[in-house]
Amino acid sequence: MKFKVKFFKLSQPAFTDRFAFKSPGARSPSLLLTSLLMKPIPTPQIVPLSPVVTTLSPTQSSPRVSTNRVLSLRDDAITEFLQAKNLAPKSEKAYRLDLSRFTRWCDLPGSPYQQQPWREVSARQLRHFKTYLQQELQLSAGTVRRTLSTLKQFFDWLQDHEYIQTHPARTLELPEASEPTAKDLSAEEIEWLYRAATLSKLAERNTAIVSVLLHGLRAEEICNLDVADFDGVRLHIRKAKRGSVGTVPLKPQAQQHLQMYLEWRQSQTEGSRAAGIEIKSDRPLFISYSPRNRHQRLGYDGLYKLVSKELQAIAQELAQAEGKEVSHLHPHRGRHTFATSLVVDGMRYKTMDSRLAMKLTRHRSAHSFDRYVKRADELLAEAAFFETEALKQAEKET
């Protein structure tokens, strides 16, 4: 806030003959000057040039800065927190969504928490927000837990950096979430997915993408691949979630699909000056052919749209033609399928344990990988059951 110091001057008397009039008891000019000089110096007044203090509401205990300034500081803190976390783009987007869900709730019409600085958030307020997520929005326990967990981390950071004194989320209880399960694709669904890719536009590219997805790569990792990351036998993952880089060996079928795709792409460059599609080591392995991003790196949203909409629609038609249904497809299901199959095959052929499987999927946590071990146990137990029943039936027949 800027201020101006303003002094109110005493008017200077004209010490002239008008003070020297002749009357009984008149004071001489010298006496008058002495009395004036002995008066106390006036106290300066502080006059604000641009007041920014708003009117206090009955619930406020201290002056509040302007609304726009509060919102700006609130958003700046979120941005600084996310930069400090150094998250992958997808994770940063999820964190920002969680935090913006809280700020939007605070700013709902009629809310007593509108335009509230972070230092004024209370534990009681966070409990109300938790109830809102569960009862009003009716979000799943997992989503509520993730949102509140993000808030806890954010307030941890605010306190560590001395933006707040008290931690409102320290005692906040997170709802129990069900254990995550593996969502692997069945053998039929894998067949429909491959057939959908061959029937789609850009069949060569899309078939190669399906093969790479079924080798456990995350969607973002696929988008970050360059031509040089495929050496003919394996893929080199140089940019990955939480630094989980590494190499992934490819099955012969996937090697063939990638080679066919690159040969097709090379054929598209002949007689064309279009930048981006030429086969150079530093060029993206998978590129977009959409009008908006033509010949640019295939983006995360573009990959999700390809699998969840285009290939999903074709696979659904193929399944319905056989009187069946295909479950919801999305890129991450390829990772679930790859991890589960590694454990199943490793147990069946005694060639790979969970530690080696985690090396190929680049999981850092055994706890997060445990879902695939449980799924493999289920599949193998079921297979053993039917195999036993078949042996019993054969024994009866003989």
Side-chain angles (χ1 to χ4, degrees):
M1 182 182 291
K2 298 180 180 179
F3 298 95
K4 177 174 71 178
V5 180
K6 184 176 181 181
F7 290 91
F8 294 90
K9 297 180 180 180
L10 294 172
S11 59
Q12 293 193 4
F15 295 107
T16 59
D17 291 343
R18 70 190 183 94
F19 287 102
F21 53 87
K22 304 297 181 179
S23 63
R27 301 164 68 183
S28 67
S30 60
L31 292 175
L32 181 60
L33 177 60
T34 301
S35 65
L36 288 171
L37 292 175
M38 293 181 66
K39 287 186 177 182
I41 297 174
T43 303
Q45 279 188 327
I46 306 298
V47 181
L49 293 177
S50 55
V52 294
V53 178
T54 59
T55 304
L56 295 180
S57 68
T59 59
Q60 293 172 336
S61 58
S62 59
R64 301 281 292 276
V65 296
S66 66
T67 296
N68 290 338
R69 182 61 176 158
V70 169
L71 296 178
S72 176
L73 290 173
R74 196 169 67 179
D75 292 341
D76 288 348
I78 292 176
T79 299
E80 189 178 348
F81 164 70
L82 295 176
Q83 289 175 345
K85 294 284 288 184
N86 193 26
L87 302 166
K90 180 185 174 184
S91 299
E92 180 176 328
K93 183 178 180 181
Y95 271 68
R96 191 177 292 276
L97 175 64
D98 293 336
L99 294 172
S100 65
R101 181 179 281 131
F102 176 71
T103 56
R104 288 198 305 270
W105 172 76
C106 290
D107 296 337
L108 287 174
S111 169
Y113 311 119
Q114 290 183 353
Q115 292 87 44
Q116 184 184 46
W118 292 117
R119 67 178 181 275
E120 296 183 9
V121 175
S122 66
R124 184 168 179 264
Q125 178 179 343
L126 292 180
R127 290 195 296 271
H128 289 170
F129 177 61
K130 176 182 175 181
T131 302
Y132 167 76
L133 297 177
Q134 293 173 322
Q135 298 183 7
E136 295 293 329
L137 298 186
Q138 296 184 351
L139 299 178
S140 67
T143 302
V144 174
R145 184 181 180 86
R146 188 203 69 206
T147 302
L148 298 181
S149 177
T150 299
L151 278 172
K152 273 180 169 284
Q153 294 179 55
F154 178 58
F155 282 109
D156 284 340
W157 180 86
L158 287 175
Q159 190 175 51
D160 290 343
H161 290 76
E162 299 181 350
Y163 286 110
I164 60 174
Q165 293 182 348
T166 59
H167 194 313
R170 191 172 301 283
T171 59
L172 184 64
E173 295 183 0
L174 304 183
E176 292 292 333
S178 57
E179 290 189 7
T181 58
K183 299 177 181 178
D184 51 302
L185 297 168
S186 67
E188 275 187 323
E189 288 174 323
I190 293 174
E191 181 184 352
W192 291 328
L193 186 56
Y194 267 121
R195 289 174 60 191
T198 59
L199 294 172
S200 67
K201 297 178 181 178
L202 307 172
E204 291 82 359
R205 187 203 66 173
N206 295 344
T207 301
I209 287 176
V210 169
S211 282
V212 173
L213 283 171
L214 289 172
H215 278 75
L217 274 73
R218 303 176 179 95
E220 189 175 352
E221 294 169 355
I222 292 178
C223 296
N224 287 330
L225 288 172
D226 290 335
V227 172
D229 295 328
F230 172 53
D231 65 8
V233 177
R234 62 189 64 80
L235 288 170
H236 298 264
I237 315 301
R238 307 182 196 277
K239 296 180 181 178
K241 179 180 180 181
R242 297 175 183 173
S244 55
V245 297
T247 58
V248 178
L250 300 173
K251 297 176 183 179
Q253 183 187 37
Q255 297 174 20
Q256 182 182 5
H257 289 160
L258 278 169
Q259 292 287 7
M260 291 174 62
Y261 158 62
L262 291 174
E263 291 172 6
W264 169 82
R265 182 166 147 186
Q266 181 65 39
S267 70
Q268 304 300 303
T269 66
E270 297 174 2
S272 172
R273 295 182 179 179
I277 62 175
E278 64 272 18
I279 307 300
K280 294 183 178 180
S281 61
D282 61 343
R283 297 304 304 163
L285 181 59
F286 295 110
I287 59 177
S288 171
Y289 288 85
S290 68
R292 182 177 179 181
N293 301 308
R294 189 170 182 81
H295 300 157
Q296 300 300 313
R297 185 181 296 274
L298 179 64
Y300 182 88
D301 292 338
L303 180 57
Y304 253 84
K305 183 179 179 181
L306 168 66
V307 177
S308 301
K309 291 187 177 181
E310 184 178 349
L311 299 186
Q312 172 85 53
I314 300 174
Q316 185 65 35
E317 290 182 4
L318 294 173
Q320 290 177 347
E322 300 177 19
K324 300 176 181 179
E325 293 288 330
V326 64
S327 58
H328 176 60
L329 302 176
H330 59 79
H332 208 63
R333 292 196 66 185
R335 182 169 175 80
H336 285 231
T337 304
F338 181 64
T340 303
S341 65
L342 286 177
V343 180
V344 169
D345 293 342
M347 290 180 177
R348 180 175 292 159
Y349 302 111
K350 311 297 182 183
T351 56
M352 183 180 301
D353 58 16
S354 295
R355 180 182 59 85
L356 294 176
M358 286 178 60
K359 184 69 175 177
L360 293 176
T361 60
R362 292 160 291 110
H363 276 83
R364 288 189 169 187
S365 168
H367 177 72
S368 63
F369 191 80
D370 192 49
R371 73 181 78 177
Y372 307 115
V373 176
K374 291 181 178 179
R375 176 60 176 160
D377 286 340
E378 292 174 1
L379 293 174
L380 289 173
E382 185 176 279
F385 170 80
F386 286 119
E387 183 179 356
T388 301
E389 290 300 309
L391 290 173
K392 289 165 61 178
Q393 185 64 29
E395 187 179 59
K396 289 181 180 178
E397 294 175 355
T398 58

mmCIF file of all heavy atoms in Angstrom, residues 4-38:
data_model
loop_
_atom_site.group_PDB
_atom_site.id
_atom_site.type_symbol
_atom_site.label_atom_id
_atom_site.label_comp_id
_atom_site.label_asym_id
_atom_site.label_seq_id
_atom_site.Cartn_x
_atom_site.Cartn_y
_atom_site.Cartn_z
ATOM 1 N N LYS A 4 0.922 8.800 1.472
ATOM 2 C CA LYS A 4 1.466 10.144 1.314
ATOM 3 C C LYS A 4 1.371 10.833 2.659
ATOM 4 O O LYS A 4 0.315 10.812 3.307
ATOM 5 C CB LYS A 4 0.683 10.908 0.258
ATOM 6 C CG LYS A 4 1.165 12.353 0.096
ATOM 7 C CD LYS A 4 0.455 13.027 -1.059
ATOM 8 C CE LYS A 4 -1.007 13.285 -0.708
ATOM 9 N NZ LYS A 4 -1.713 13.985 -1.789
ATOM 10 N N VAL A 5 2.479 11.363 3.094
ATOM 11 C CA VAL A 5 2.489 12.101 4.355
ATOM 12 C C VAL A 5 2.137 13.550 4.069
ATOM 13 O O VAL A 5 2.785 14.210 3.255
ATOM 14 C CB VAL A 5 3.871 12.020 5.039
ATOM 15 C CG1 VAL A 5 3.859 12.803 6.337
ATOM 16 C CG2 VAL A 5 4.246 10.569 5.275
ATOM 17 N N LYS A 6 1.086 14.030 4.728
ATOM 18 C CA LYS A 6 0.587 15.377 4.470
ATOM 19 C C LYS A 6 0.642 16.200 5.742
ATOM 20 O O LYS A 6 0.086 15.809 6.765
ATOM 21 C CB LYS A 6 -0.853 15.289 3.955
ATOM 22 C CG LYS A 6 -1.451 16.629 3.565
ATOM 23 C CD LYS A 6 -2.835 16.429 2.967
ATOM 24 C CE LYS A 6 -3.447 17.745 2.546
ATOM 25 N NZ LYS A 6 -4.803 17.559 1.997
ATOM 26 N N PHE A 7 1.356 17.312 5.711
ATOM 27 C CA PHE A 7 1.435 18.225 6.841
ATOM 28 C C PHE A 7 0.501 19.399 6.574
ATOM 29 O O PHE A 7 0.424 19.917 5.449
ATOM 30 C CB PHE A 7 2.861 18.761 7.034
ATOM 31 C CG PHE A 7 3.831 17.720 7.523
ATOM 32 C CD1 PHE A 7 4.563 16.969 6.624
ATOM 33 C CD2 PHE A 7 3.985 17.477 8.872
ATOM 34 C CE1 PHE A 7 5.434 16.001 7.067
ATOM 35 C CE2 PHE A 7 4.873 16.519 9.322
ATOM 36 C CZ PHE A 7 5.589 15.784 8.415
ATOM 37 N N PHE A 8 -0.229 19.774 7.614
ATOM 38 C CA PHE A 8 -1.104 20.940 7.509
ATOM 39 C C PHE A 8 -0.352 22.152 8.055
ATOM 40 O O PHE A 8 -0.007 22.208 9.250
ATOM 41 C CB PHE A 8 -2.397 20.713 8.295
ATOM 42 C CG PHE A 8 -3.237 19.618 7.708
ATOM 43 C CD1 PHE A 8 -3.080 18.308 8.128
ATOM 44 C CD2 PHE A 8 -4.122 19.875 6.680
ATOM 45 C CE1 PHE A 8 -3.815 17.300 7.568
ATOM 46 C CE2 PHE A 8 -4.873 18.858 6.124
ATOM 47 C CZ PHE A 8 -4.727 17.575 6.571
ATOM 48 N N LYS A 9 -0.035 23.116 7.187
ATOM 49 C CA LYS A 9 0.786 24.261 7.563
ATOM 50 C C LYS A 9 -0.016 25.308 8.341
ATOM 51 O O LYS A 9 -1.205 25.474 8.129
ATOM 52 C CB LYS A 9 1.363 24.920 6.310
ATOM 53 C CG LYS A 9 2.306 24.004 5.499
ATOM 54 C CD LYS A 9 2.823 24.730 4.300
ATOM 55 C CE LYS A 9 3.766 23.835 3.490
ATOM 56 N NZ LYS A 9 4.271 24.544 2.302
ATOM 57 N N LEU A 10 0.704 25.962 9.235
ATOM 58 C CA LEU A 10 0.119 27.121 9.908
ATOM 59 C C LEU A 10 0.187 28.310 8.961
ATOM 60 O O LEU A 10 1.182 28.508 8.268
ATOM 61 C CB LEU A 10 0.895 27.443 11.190
ATOM 62 C CG LEU A 10 0.809 26.391 12.306
ATOM 63 C CD1 LEU A 10 1.778 26.757 13.401
ATOM 64 C CD2 LEU A 10 -0.593 26.309 12.833
ATOM 65 N N SER A 11 -0.855 29.018 8.908
ATOM 66 C CA SER A 11 -0.812 30.223 8.070
ATOM 67 C C SER A 11 0.177 31.213 8.668
ATOM 68 O O SER A 11 0.202 31.418 9.885
ATOM 69 C CB SER A 11 -2.200 30.859 7.985
ATOM 70 O OG SER A 11 -2.658 31.188 9.272
ATOM 71 N N GLN A 12 1.015 31.775 7.854
ATOM 72 C CA GLN A 12 2.013 32.707 8.365
ATOM 73 C C GLN A 12 1.403 34.087 8.551
ATOM 74 O O GLN A 12 0.890 34.686 7.608
ATOM 75 C CB GLN A 12 3.180 32.796 7.395
ATOM 76 C CG GLN A 12 3.970 31.496 7.314
ATOM 77 C CD GLN A 12 5.280 31.719 6.603
ATOM 78 O OE1 GLN A 12 5.598 32.854 6.260
ATOM 79 N NE2 GLN A 12 6.033 30.670 6.431
ATOM 80 N N PRO A 13 1.439 34.562 9.778
ATOM 81 C CA PRO A 13 0.883 35.897 10.019
ATOM 82 C C PRO A 13 1.790 36.963 9.429
ATOM 83 O O PRO A 13 3.003 36.793 9.371
ATOM 84 C CB PRO A 13 0.845 35.984 11.548
ATOM 85 C CG PRO A 13 1.933 35.081 12.002
ATOM 86 C CD PRO A 13 1.992 33.963 11.003
ATOM 87 N N ALA A 14 1.198 37.956 8.987
ATOM 88 C CA ALA A 14 1.975 39.107 8.479
ATOM 89 C C ALA A 14 2.306 40.009 9.644
ATOM 90 O O ALA A 14 1.435 40.712 10.176
ATOM 91 C CB ALA A 14 1.166 39.859 7.426
ATOM 92 N N PHE A 15 3.551 39.862 10.081
ATOM 93 C CA PHE A 15 3.965 40.663 11.240
ATOM 94 C C PHE A 15 4.212 42.095 10.783
ATOM 95 O O PHE A 15 5.323 42.520 10.558
ATOM 96 C CB PHE A 15 5.244 40.063 11.878
ATOM 97 C CG PHE A 15 5.007 38.702 12.446
ATOM 98 C CD1 PHE A 15 5.506 37.583 11.820
ATOM 99 C CD2 PHE A 15 4.280 38.562 13.600
ATOM 100 C CE1 PHE A 15 5.277 36.333 12.347
ATOM 101 C CE2 PHE A 15 4.057 37.333 14.129
ATOM 102 C CZ PHE A 15 4.535 36.207 13.510
ATOM 103 N N THR A 16 3.117 42.734 10.602
ATOM 104 C CA THR A 16 3.176 44.122 10.115
ATOM 105 C C THR A 16 2.461 45.018 11.087
ATOM 106 O O THR A 16 2.150 44.625 12.207
ATOM 107 C CB THR A 16 2.512 44.215 8.735
ATOM 108 O OG1 THR A 16 1.168 43.774 8.858
ATOM 109 C CG2 THR A 16 3.236 43.333 7.716
ATOM 110 N N ASP A 17 2.153 46.158 10.599
ATOM 111 C CA ASP A 17 1.550 47.152 11.481
ATOM 112 C C ASP A 17 0.171 46.765 11.953
ATOM 113 O O ASP A 17 -0.338 47.333 12.909
ATOM 114 C CB ASP A 17 1.462 48.507 10.759
ATOM 115 C CG ASP A 17 2.841 49.108 10.552
ATOM 116 O OD1 ASP A 17 3.758 48.627 11.249
ATOM 117 O OD2 ASP A 17 2.969 49.975 9.691
ATOM 118 N N ARG A 18 -0.481 45.735 11.279
ATOM 119 C CA ARG A 18 -1.829 45.396 11.729
ATOM 120 C C ARG A 18 -1.814 44.758 13.091
ATOM 121 O O ARG A 18 -2.837 44.662 13.748
ATOM 122 C CB ARG A 18 -2.554 44.491 10.721
ATOM 123 C CG ARG A 18 -2.046 43.069 10.582
ATOM 124 C CD ARG A 18 -2.705 42.411 9.387
ATOM 125 N NE ARG A 18 -2.319 41.019 9.229
ATOM 126 C CZ ARG A 18 -3.001 39.984 9.712
ATOM 127 N NH1 ARG A 18 -4.080 40.181 10.411
ATOM 128 N NH2 ARG A 18 -2.578 38.761 9.475
ATOM 129 N N PHE A 19 -0.636 44.201 13.545
ATOM 130 C CA PHE A 19 -0.518 43.692 14.887
ATOM 131 C C PHE A 19 -0.049 44.767 15.869
ATOM 132 O O PHE A 19 0.014 44.524 17.046
ATOM 133 C CB PHE A 19 0.490 42.527 14.940
ATOM 134 C CG PHE A 19 -0.058 41.272 14.318
ATOM 135 C CD1 PHE A 19 0.339 40.926 13.047
ATOM 136 C CD2 PHE A 19 -0.942 40.480 15.017
ATOM 137 C CE1 PHE A 19 -0.166 39.776 12.471
ATOM 138 C CE2 PHE A 19 -1.438 39.333 14.447
ATOM 139 C CZ PHE A 19 -1.066 38.988 13.164
ATOM 140 N N ALA A 20 0.287 45.882 15.340
ATOM 141 C CA ALA A 20 0.830 46.953 16.201
ATOM 142 C C ALA A 20 -0.174 48.066 16.421
ATOM 143 O O ALA A 20 0.178 49.206 16.580
ATOM 144 C CB ALA A 20 2.098 47.501 15.568
ATOM 145 N N PHE A 21 -1.444 47.709 16.347
ATOM 146 C CA PHE A 21 -2.449 48.753 16.565
ATOM 147 C C PHE A 21 -2.403 49.208 18.004
ATOM 148 O O PHE A 21 -1.958 48.491 18.892
ATOM 149 C CB PHE A 21 -3.859 48.273 16.216
ATOM 150 C CG PHE A 21 -4.242 46.989 16.909
ATOM 151 C CD1 PHE A 21 -4.797 47.025 18.173
ATOM 152 C CD2 PHE A 21 -4.035 45.770 16.294
ATOM 153 C CE1 PHE A 21 -5.147 45.851 18.806
ATOM 154 C CE2 PHE A 21 -4.387 44.608 16.939
ATOM 155 C CZ PHE A 21 -4.945 44.631 18.176
ATOM 156 N N LYS A 22 -2.857 50.393 18.204
ATOM 157 C CA LYS A 22 -2.796 51.030 19.504
ATOM 158 C C LYS A 22 -4.059 50.746 20.265
ATOM 159 O O LYS A 22 -5.126 51.235 19.945
ATOM 160 C CB LYS A 22 -2.610 52.536 19.338
ATOM 161 C CG LYS A 22 -1.386 52.933 18.509
ATOM 162 C CD LYS A 22 -0.103 52.490 19.188
ATOM 163 C CE LYS A 22 1.122 52.909 18.387
ATOM 164 N NZ LYS A 22 2.369 52.511 19.042
ATOM 165 N N SER A 23 -3.989 49.894 21.234
ATOM 166 C CA SER A 23 -5.121 49.646 22.117
ATOM 167 C C SER A 23 -4.569 49.180 23.439
ATOM 168 O O SER A 23 -3.478 48.601 23.502
ATOM 169 C CB SER A 23 -6.065 48.583 21.533
ATOM 170 O OG SER A 23 -5.390 47.361 21.420
ATOM 171 N N PRO A 24 -5.318 49.358 24.493
ATOM 172 C CA PRO A 24 -4.826 48.935 25.802
ATOM 173 C C PRO A 24 -4.602 47.415 25.832
ATOM 174 O O PRO A 24 -5.440 46.635 25.366
ATOM 175 C CB PRO A 24 -5.942 49.359 26.764
ATOM 176 C CG PRO A 24 -6.698 50.419 26.012
ATOM 177 C CD PRO A 24 -6.589 50.076 24.578
ATOM 178 N N GLY A 25 -3.493 47.037 26.352
ATOM 179 C CA GLY A 25 -3.185 45.601 26.503
ATOM 180 C C GLY A 25 -2.788 44.909 25.229
ATOM 181 O O GLY A 25 -2.685 43.679 25.189
ATOM 182 N N ALA A 26 -2.597 45.668 24.132
ATOM 183 C CA ALA A 26 -2.200 45.018 22.872
ATOM 184 C C ALA A 26 -0.826 44.404 22.995
ATOM 185 O O ALA A 26 0.059 44.955 23.642
ATOM 186 C CB ALA A 26 -2.227 46.040 21.738
ATOM 187 N N ARG A 27 -0.629 43.201 22.383
ATOM 188 C CA ARG A 27 0.644 42.501 22.460
ATOM 189 C C ARG A 27 1.551 42.979 21.336
ATOM 190 O O ARG A 27 1.117 43.217 20.217
ATOM 191 C CB ARG A 27 0.424 40.991 22.354
ATOM 192 C CG ARG A 27 -0.489 40.463 23.446
ATOM 193 C CD ARG A 27 -1.004 39.084 23.128
ATOM 194 N NE ARG A 27 0.070 38.087 23.168
ATOM 195 C CZ ARG A 27 -0.124 36.814 22.873
ATOM 196 N NH1 ARG A 27 -1.325 36.407 22.513
ATOM 197 N NH2 ARG A 27 0.866 35.973 22.923
ATOM 198 N N SER A 28 2.776 43.054 21.669
ATOM 199 C CA SER A 28 3.739 43.513 20.666
ATOM 200 C C SER A 28 4.008 42.389 19.667
ATOM 201 O O SER A 28 3.828 41.215 19.979
ATOM 202 C CB SER A 28 5.046 43.914 21.351
ATOM 203 O OG SER A 28 5.661 42.770 21.903
ATOM 204 N N PRO A 29 4.470 42.720 18.469
ATOM 205 C CA PRO A 29 4.780 41.679 17.478
ATOM 206 C C PRO A 29 5.790 40.658 17.972
ATOM 207 O O PRO A 29 5.694 39.493 17.675
ATOM 208 C CB PRO A 29 5.332 42.471 16.283
ATOM 209 C CG PRO A 29 4.688 43.804 16.412
ATOM 210 C CD PRO A 29 4.600 44.084 17.898
ATOM 211 N N SER A 30 6.769 41.083 18.748
ATOM 212 C CA SER A 30 7.778 40.138 19.223
ATOM 213 C C SER A 30 7.200 39.129 20.183
ATOM 214 O O SER A 30 7.534 37.941 20.151
ATOM 215 C CB SER A 30 8.929 40.897 19.886
ATOM 216 O OG SER A 30 8.434 41.644 20.990
ATOM 217 N N LEU A 31 6.299 39.560 21.052
ATOM 218 C CA LEU A 31 5.668 38.625 21.977
ATOM 219 C C LEU A 31 4.766 37.636 21.238
ATOM 220 O O LEU A 31 4.699 36.458 21.561
ATOM 221 C CB LEU A 31 4.859 39.383 23.033
ATOM 222 C CG LEU A 31 5.692 40.209 24.024
ATOM 223 C CD1 LEU A 31 4.765 41.015 24.935
ATOM 224 C CD2 LEU A 31 6.576 39.296 24.861
ATOM 225 N N LEU A 32 4.066 38.142 20.223
ATOM 226 C CA LEU A 32 3.177 37.276 19.440
ATOM 227 C C LEU A 32 3.981 36.212 18.698
ATOM 228 O O LEU A 32 3.617 35.038 18.647
ATOM 229 C CB LEU A 32 2.374 38.109 18.452
ATOM 230 C CG LEU A 32 1.376 37.339 17.565
ATOM 231 C CD1 LEU A 32 0.342 36.635 18.427
ATOM 232 C CD2 LEU A 32 0.716 38.279 16.583
ATOM 233 N N LEU A 33 5.103 36.582 18.125
ATOM 234 C CA LEU A 33 5.937 35.621 17.406
ATOM 235 C C LEU A 33 6.456 34.545 18.349
ATOM 236 O O LEU A 33 6.472 33.360 18.025
ATOM 237 C CB LEU A 33 7.106 36.362 16.751
ATOM 238 C CG LEU A 33 8.126 35.484 16.008
ATOM 239 C CD1 LEU A 33 7.448 34.726 14.885
ATOM 240 C CD2 LEU A 33 9.270 36.350 15.487
ATOM 241 N N THR A 34 6.857 34.956 19.545
ATOM 242 C CA THR A 34 7.364 33.993 20.524
ATOM 243 C C THR A 34 6.298 32.974 20.895
ATOM 244 O O THR A 34 6.549 31.764 20.978
ATOM 245 C CB THR A 34 7.846 34.723 21.781
ATOM 246 O OG1 THR A 34 8.873 35.633 21.406
ATOM 247 C CG2 THR A 34 8.393 33.731 22.808
ATOM 248 N N SER A 35 5.073 33.412 21.094
ATOM 249 C CA SER A 35 3.994 32.503 21.467
ATOM 250 C C SER A 35 3.654 31.526 20.358
ATOM 251 O O SER A 35 3.325 30.366 20.582
ATOM 252 C CB SER A 35 2.751 33.299 21.879
ATOM 253 O OG SER A 35 2.255 34.023 20.759
ATOM 254 N N LEU A 36 3.745 32.001 19.127
ATOM 255 C CA LEU A 36 3.453 31.115 17.990
ATOM 256 C C LEU A 36 4.515 30.039 17.832
ATOM 257 O O LEU A 36 4.229 28.873 17.561
ATOM 258 C CB LEU A 36 3.347 31.928 16.696
ATOM 259 C CG LEU A 36 2.093 32.801 16.545
ATOM 260 C CD1 LEU A 36 2.227 33.704 15.326
ATOM 261 C CD2 LEU A 36 0.853 31.935 16.440
ATOM 262 N N LEU A 37 5.771 30.410 18.002
ATOM 263 C CA LEU A 37 6.856 29.451 17.841
ATOM 264 C C LEU A 37 6.863 28.395 18.922
ATOM 265 O O LEU A 37 7.390 27.304 18.758
ATOM 266 C CB LEU A 37 8.197 30.167 17.807
ATOM 267 C CG LEU A 37 8.441 31.038 16.565
ATOM 268 C CD1 LEU A 37 9.749 31.785 16.713
ATOM 269 C CD2 LEU A 37 8.445 30.196 15.312
ATOM 270 N N MET A 38 6.297 28.689 20.083
ATOM 271 C CA MET A 38 6.282 27.745 21.183
ATOM 272 C C MET A 38 5.151 26.734 21.083
ATOM 273 O O MET A 38 5.057 25.799 21.865
ATOM 274 C CB MET A 38 6.179 28.487 22.523
ATOM 275 C CG MET A 38 7.435 29.310 22.850
ATOM 276 S SD MET A 38 7.305 30.151 24.421
ATOM 277 C CE MET A 38 7.271 28.753 25.534
#
